[in-house]
Amino acid sequence: MARTKPTIPELKHLDHVLVSETAIRRRVSALAEQINRAYRGKDLTVIAVVNGALIFTADLLRQMRSPLRLDCIRASSYHAGTAATGKPVIIDNLKLDIAGQHLLLVDDILDTGNTLSAVKELLLAKKAASVRTCVLLDKKARRVVPFEAEYVGFEIPNEFVVGYGLDFNERYRNLPCIGVLKPKFYSGTV
Ligand code: 5GP
Ligand code: MG
């Protein structure tokens, strides 16, 4: 008997979908393949920037073939809004010793570049052997600090997106696709 997926009421808050669930699934597989080829025969340490990268990292990891370890780092630059507040706060609570390790830094989105450049600097200061970056989304037009990721899922226009790990005021992370909210949900007037 065919099962229908449970519907998520908050999908109705989206004005439009930018990246569908199917497109994400296909692109994540392709990225994992690319990473598998690049790190064949090498031990790898994945560092996920949480909370945003949680879902992307989980899906990516399940398709990665190298022997790997996982750790998380917390960064925050948004405080209940959609505009970044300058320098990000990086909470370095890494449990693993990363000295001499090849690292893959995973985040949901590369926007101004402030977060990933600060995190990368911190990882290199701890003597990582190498640091490459993988992001699901890249808003190139918003860059303030020069930063390029080695692995990019999708380039997207300058719009504030939610879903697949990305939140607005901690909501919408569980949406299976990536989209833009209707204006009234950003203004918080409902
Ligand atoms: P950056 O430091 O590159 O400006 O911003 C990176 C962080 O800002 C991301 O990890 C993410 O948490 C947040 N961010 C940037 N753009 C968006 C967006 O469109 N939607 C959401 N939900 N978060 C974003
Ligand atoms: Mg983030």
Side-chain angles (χ1 to χ4, degrees):
M1 200 169 71
R3 282 172 193 240
T4 50
K5 269 195 173 182
T7 56
I8 302 175
E10 282 183 326
L11 277 171
K12 293 200 180 73
H13 293 199
L14 292 181
D15 180 70
H16 57 278
V17 172
L18 268 186
V19 191
S20 72
E21 185 176 358
T22 309
I24 294 173
R25 197 179 322 116
R26 290 199 181 123
R27 192 67 191 119
V28 171
S29 295
L31 283 174
E33 250 341 286
Q34 219 185 323
I35 293 164
N36 285 335
R37 274 198 302 277
Y39 288 92
R40 204 190 306 271
K42 278 189 186 155
D43 271 36
L44 183 61
T45 301
V46 175
I47 309 286
V49 185
V50 291
N51 296 332
L54 208 63
I55 292 172
F56 176 41
T57 306
D59 284 349
L60 195 64
L61 276 197
R62 273 179 279 207
Q63 300 189 58
M64 284 173 55
R65 301 282 167 262
S66 296
L68 61 81
R69 302 184 302 164
L70 171 68
D71 208 341
C72 297
I73 199 161
R74 196 171 275 276
S76 68
S77 53
Y78 284 86
H79 304 285
T82 61
T85 52
K87 257 217 159 307
V89 181
I90 313 291
I91 300 164
D92 171 17
N93 54 356
L94 289 176
K95 297 279 184 291
L96 299 177
D97 180 7
I98 57 168
Q101 303 298 311
H102 293 292
L103 308 186
L104 182 70
L105 178 57
V106 181
D107 205 355
D108 49 3
I109 186 165
L110 179 51
D111 187 30
T112 63
N114 279 315
T115 304
L116 286 174
S117 61
V119 174
K120 187 170 176 175
E121 206 173 287
L122 185 149
L123 299 175
L124 288 171
K126 287 174 175 263
K127 308 266 186 293
S130 70
V131 182
R132 286 188 188 172
T133 306
C134 176
V135 292
L136 182 67
L137 306 171
D138 186 356
K139 277 194 220 170
K140 274 204 191 312
R142 290 255 310 159
R143 211 72 92 249
V144 170
V145 180
F147 192 97
E148 293 306 322
E150 282 78 6
Y151 308 102
V152 175
F154 302 92
E155 270 187 43
I156 60 162
N158 182 12
E159 291 185 281
F160 191 87
V161 293
V162 298
Y164 196 69
L166 292 122
D167 73 307
F168 174 64
N169 288 352
E170 293 305 325
R171 292 175 73 169
Y172 307 109
R173 294 194 197 273
N174 57 327
L175 302 188
C177 58
I178 289 160
V180 177
L181 290 174
K182 291 173 183 160
K184 66 176 179 180
F185 293 104
Y186 288 123
S187 56
T189 54
V190 285

